[in-house]
Coordinates of all heavy atoms in Angstrom, one line a residue:
L201 N -36.8 -1.6 33.5 CA -37.1 -0.6 34.5 C -37.8 0.6 33.9 O -38.8 1.1 34.5 CB -35.9 -0.2 35.3 CG -35.3 -1.3 36.2 CD1 -33.9 -0.8 36.8 CD2 -36.2 -1.6 37.4
I202 N -37.4 1.0 32.8 CA -38.0 2.2 32.1 C -39.4 1.8 31.7 O -40.4 2.6 31.9 CB -37.2 2.6 30.9 CG1 -35.8 3.2 31.3 CG2 -38.0 3.6 30.0 CD1 -34.9 3.4 30.1
E203 N -39.6 0.6 31.2 CA -40.9 0.1 30.8 C -41.8 -0.2 32.0 O -43.0 -0.2 31.9 CB -40.7 -1.1 29.9 CG -41.9 -1.4 29.1 CD -41.6 -2.4 27.9 OE1 -41.2 -1.9 26.9 OE2 -41.7 -3.6 28.1
G204 N -41.2 -0.5 33.1 CA -41.9 -0.9 34.3 C -42.5 -2.2 34.3 O -43.6 -2.5 35.0
R205 N -41.9 -3.1 33.5 CA -42.5 -4.5 33.4 C -41.4 -5.5 33.4 O -40.5 -5.6 32.5 CB -43.2 -4.6 32.0 CG -44.0 -5.9 31.9 CD -44.9 -5.7 30.7 NE -45.8 -6.8 30.6 CZ -46.9 -6.9 29.8 NH1 -47.1 -5.9 29.0 NH2 -47.7 -7.9 29.8
V206 N -41.4 -6.3 34.5 CA -40.4 -7.4 34.6 C -41.1 -8.6 34.9 O -41.8 -8.7 35.9 CB -39.3 -7.0 35.7 CG1 -38.3 -8.1 35.9 CG2 -38.7 -5.7 35.5
D207 N -40.9 -9.7 34.1 CA -41.7 -10.9 34.3 C -40.8 -12.1 33.9 O -39.6 -12.0 33.5 CB -43.0 -10.9 33.6 CG -42.9 -10.6 32.1 OD1 -41.7 -10.7 31.6 OD2 -43.9 -10.2 31.5
A208 N -41.4 -13.3 33.9 CA -40.7 -14.5 33.6 C -40.2 -14.5 32.1 O -39.1 -15.0 31.8 CB -41.5 -15.7 33.8
A209 N -41.0 -13.9 31.3 CA -40.6 -13.8 29.9 C -39.3 -13.0 29.7 O -38.4 -13.3 28.9 CB -41.7 -13.2 29.0
W210 N -39.2 -11.9 30.5 CA -38.0 -11.1 30.4 C -36.8 -11.9 30.9 O -35.7 -11.8 30.2 CB -38.2 -9.9 31.4 CG -36.9 -9.0 31.5 CD1 -36.7 -7.9 30.7 CD2 -35.8 -9.2 32.4 NE1 -35.4 -7.4 31.0 CE2 -34.9 -8.1 32.1 CE3 -35.5 -10.0 33.4 CZ2 -33.7 -8.0 32.8 CZ3 -34.3 -9.9 34.1 CH2 -33.4 -8.9 33.8
A211 N -36.9 -12.7 31.9 CA -35.8 -13.6 32.3 C -35.4 -14.5 31.2 O -34.2 -14.8 31.0 CB -36.2 -14.3 33.6
R212 N -36.4 -15.1 30.5 CA -36.0 -16.0 29.4 C -35.3 -15.2 28.3 O -34.4 -15.8 27.7 CB -37.3 -16.7 28.8 CG -37.0 -17.6 27.7 CD -38.2 -18.4 27.3 NE -38.5 -19.4 28.3 CZ -39.4 -20.4 28.2 NH1 -40.1 -20.5 27.1 NH2 -39.6 -21.3 29.1
W213 N -35.7 -14.0 28.0 CA -35.0 -13.3 26.9 C -33.6 -12.9 27.3 O -32.7 -12.9 26.5 CB -35.8 -12.0 26.6 CG -37.1 -12.2 25.9 CD1 -37.3 -13.1 24.9 CD2 -38.4 -11.6 26.2 NE1 -38.7 -13.0 24.5 CE2 -39.3 -12.1 25.3 CE3 -38.8 -10.6 27.1 CZ2 -40.6 -11.7 25.3 CZ3 -40.1 -10.2 27.1 CH2 -41.0 -10.8 26.2
V214 N -33.4 -12.6 28.6 CA -32.1 -12.1 29.0 C -31.1 -13.3 29.3 O -29.9 -13.0 29.3 CB -32.3 -11.2 30.3 CG1 -32.3 -12.0 31.6 CG2 -31.1 -10.2 30.4
R215 N -31.6 -14.4 29.6 CA -30.7 -15.5 30.0 C -29.7 -15.9 28.9 O -28.5 -16.1 29.2 CB -31.5 -16.8 30.4 CG -31.8 -16.8 31.9 CD -32.4 -18.2 32.3 NE -31.4 -19.2 32.1 CZ -31.8 -20.5 32.1 NH1 -33.0 -20.9 32.0 NH2 -30.8 -21.5 32.0
P216 N -30.1 -16.0 27.6 CA -29.1 -16.4 26.6 C -28.0 -15.4 26.5 O -26.8 -15.7 26.2 CB -29.9 -16.5 25.3 CG -31.2 -15.9 25.5 CD -31.4 -16.0 27.0
W217 N -28.3 -14.1 26.6 CA -27.2 -13.0 26.6 C -26.3 -13.1 27.8 O -25.1 -12.9 27.6 CB -27.9 -11.7 26.5 CG -28.8 -11.5 25.3 CD1 -30.1 -11.5 25.3 CD2 -28.4 -11.4 23.9 NE1 -30.6 -11.4 24.0 CE2 -29.6 -11.3 23.1 CE3 -27.1 -11.3 23.3 CZ2 -29.5 -11.2 21.7 CZ3 -27.1 -11.2 21.9 CH2 -28.3 -11.1 21.1
T218 N -26.9 -13.4 28.9 CA -26.1 -13.6 30.1 C -25.2 -14.8 29.9 O -24.0 -14.7 30.3 CB -27.0 -13.8 31.3 OG1 -27.9 -12.7 31.4 CG2 -26.2 -13.8 32.6
L219 N -25.7 -15.9 29.4 CA -24.9 -17.1 29.2 C -23.8 -16.8 28.2 O -22.7 -17.3 28.5 CB -25.8 -18.2 28.6 CG -26.3 -19.3 29.6 CD1 -27.3 -20.2 28.9 CD2 -25.2 -20.1 30.2
M220 N -24.1 -16.1 27.1 CA -23.1 -15.9 26.1 C -21.9 -15.1 26.8 O -20.7 -15.4 26.6 CB -23.7 -15.1 25.0 CG -22.8 -15.0 23.7 SD -23.5 -14.0 22.4 CE -25.1 -14.9 22.2
A221 N -22.2 -14.0 27.5 CA -21.2 -13.2 28.1 C -20.4 -14.0 29.1 O -19.2 -14.0 29.2 CB -21.8 -12.0 28.8
W222 N -21.1 -14.8 29.9 CA -20.5 -15.7 31.0 C -19.5 -16.7 30.4 O -18.4 -16.9 30.9 CB -21.6 -16.4 31.8 CG -21.0 -17.2 32.9 CD1 -20.8 -16.7 34.2 CD2 -20.8 -18.6 32.9 NE1 -20.3 -17.8 34.9 CE2 -20.3 -18.9 34.2 CE3 -20.9 -19.6 31.9 CZ2 -19.9 -20.2 34.5 CZ3 -20.5 -20.9 32.2 CH2 -20.0 -21.2 33.5
I223 N -19.9 -17.3 29.3 CA -19.1 -18.3 28.6 C -17.8 -17.7 28.2 O -16.7 -18.2 28.4 CB -19.8 -18.9 27.4 CG1 -21.0 -19.8 27.8 CG2 -18.8 -19.7 26.5 CD1 -21.9 -20.2 26.7
F224 N -17.9 -16.5 27.5 CA -16.6 -15.9 27.0 C -15.8 -15.4 28.2 O -14.5 -15.4 28.1 CB -17.0 -14.7 26.1 CG -17.4 -15.1 24.7 CD1 -18.7 -14.9 24.2 CD2 -16.5 -15.8 23.9 CE1 -19.1 -15.3 22.9 CE2 -16.9 -16.3 22.6 CZ -18.2 -16.0 22.1
L225 N -16.4 -14.9 29.2 CA -15.6 -14.4 30.3 C -14.9 -15.5 31.0 O -13.8 -15.4 31.5 CB -16.5 -13.6 31.3 CG -15.8 -12.9 32.5 CD1 -14.8 -11.9 31.9 CD2 -16.9 -12.2 33.4
T226 N -15.6 -16.7 31.1 CA -15.0 -17.9 31.7 C -13.7 -18.3 30.9 O -12.6 -18.5 31.5 CB -16.0 -19.1 31.7 OG1 -17.1 -18.7 32.5 CG2 -15.3 -20.3 32.3
L227 N -13.9 -18.3 29.6 CA -12.7 -18.7 28.8 C -11.6 -17.6 28.8 O -10.4 -18.0 28.8 CB -13.2 -18.9 27.3 CG -14.1 -20.2 27.1 CD1 -14.6 -20.2 25.7 CD2 -13.4 -21.4 27.4
G228 N -12.0 -16.4 28.8 CA -11.1 -15.3 28.9 C -10.2 -15.3 30.1 O -9.0 -15.1 30.1
I229 N -10.9 -15.5 31.3 CA -10.1 -15.6 32.5 C -9.2 -16.8 32.5 O -8.0 -16.7 33.0 CB -11.1 -15.6 33.7 CG1 -11.9 -14.3 33.9 CG2 -10.4 -16.0 35.0 CD1 -13.0 -14.3 34.9
A230 N -9.7 -17.9 32.1 CA -8.9 -19.1 32.0 C -7.7 -18.9 31.1 O -6.5 -19.3 31.5 CB -9.7 -20.3 31.6
M231 N -7.9 -18.3 29.9 CA -6.8 -18.1 29.0 C -5.8 -17.1 29.6 O -4.6 -17.3 29.5 CB -7.3 -17.5 27.7 CG -6.3 -17.3 26.6 SD -5.7 -18.8 25.9 CE -4.0 -18.9 26.6
G232 N -6.3 -16.1 30.3 CA -5.4 -15.1 30.9 C -4.5 -15.7 32.0 O -3.3 -15.5 32.2
S233 N -5.2 -16.6 32.8 CA -4.5 -17.3 33.8 C -3.4 -18.2 33.3 O -2.2 -18.2 33.8 CB -5.5 -18.2 34.7 OG -4.8 -19.1 35.5
Y234 N -3.7 -18.9 32.2 CA -2.7 -19.8 31.6 C -1.6 -19.0 31.0 O -0.4 -19.4 31.0 CB -3.3 -20.8 30.6 CG -2.4 -21.9 30.2 CD1 -2.0 -22.8 31.1 CD2 -2.0 -22.0 28.9 CE1 -1.1 -23.8 30.7 CE2 -1.1 -23.0 28.5 CZ -0.7 -23.9 29.4 OH 0.2 -24.9 29.0
W235 N -1.9 -17.9 30.3 CA -0.9 -17.1 29.7 C 0.1 -16.6 30.8 O 1.3 -16.6 30.6 CB -1.5 -15.9 29.0 CG -0.5 -14.8 28.7 CD1 0.4 -14.8 27.6 CD2 -0.2 -13.6 29.4 NE1 1.2 -13.7 27.6 CE2 0.8 -13.0 28.7 CE3 -0.8 -13.0 30.5 CZ2 1.3 -11.7 29.2 CZ3 -0.2 -11.8 31.0 CH2 0.8 -11.2 30.3
A236 N -0.4 -16.1 31.9 CA 0.5 -15.6 33.0 C 1.3 -16.7 33.5 O 2.5 -16.5 33.9 CB -0.4 -15.0 34.1
Y237 N 0.7 -17.9 33.6 CA 1.4 -19.1 34.1 C 2.6 -19.4 33.3 O 3.7 -19.7 33.8 CB 0.4 -20.2 34.1 CG 1.0 -21.6 34.4 CD1 1.4 -22.0 35.7 CD2 1.0 -22.6 33.4 CE1 1.9 -23.3 35.9 CE2 1.5 -23.8 33.6 CZ 2.0 -24.2 34.9 OH 2.4 -25.5 35.1
Y238 N 2.5 -19.5 32.0 CA 3.6 -20.0 31.1 C 4.5 -18.8 30.6 O 5.7 -19.0 30.3 CB 3.1 -20.8 30.0 CG 2.5 -20.1 28.8 CD1 3.2 -19.4 27.9 CD2 1.1 -20.2 28.7 CE1 2.5 -18.7 26.8 CE2 0.4 -19.5 27.6 CZ 1.2 -18.8 26.7 OH 0.6 -18.2 25.7
E239 N 3.9 -17.6 30.5 CA 4.7 -16.5 29.9 C 5.5 -15.7 30.9 O 6.7 -15.3 30.6 CB 3.8 -15.6 29.1 CG 4.4 -14.4 28.5 CD 5.4 -14.8 27.4 OE1 5.3 -15.9 26.9 OE2 6.4 -13.9 27.2
L240 N 5.0 -15.5 32.1 CA 5.7 -14.6 33.0 C 6.8 -15.3 33.8 O 7.6 -14.7 34.5 CB 4.7 -14.0 34.0 CG 3.6 -13.1 33.4 CD1 2.8 -12.5 34.4 CD2 4.2 -12.1 32.4
G241 N 6.9 -16.7 33.7 CA 8.0 -17.4 34.3 C 8.0 -17.5 35.8 O 9.0 -17.9 36.4

Side-chain angles (χ1 to χ4, degrees):
L201 288 173
I202 293 170
E203 198 163 273
R205 187 169 191 170
V206 181
D207 52 20
W210 178 89
R212 177 170 290 186
W213 290 317
V214 85
R215 269 188 70 200
W217 301 104
T218 308
L219 259 176
M220 192 183 303
W222 183 87
I223 291 166
F224 283 120
L225 189 56
T226 301
L227 292 174
I229 292 172
M231 184 70 251
S233 167
Y234 191 63
W235 167 79
Y237 168 74
Y238 74 77
E239 177 63 24
L240 300 184

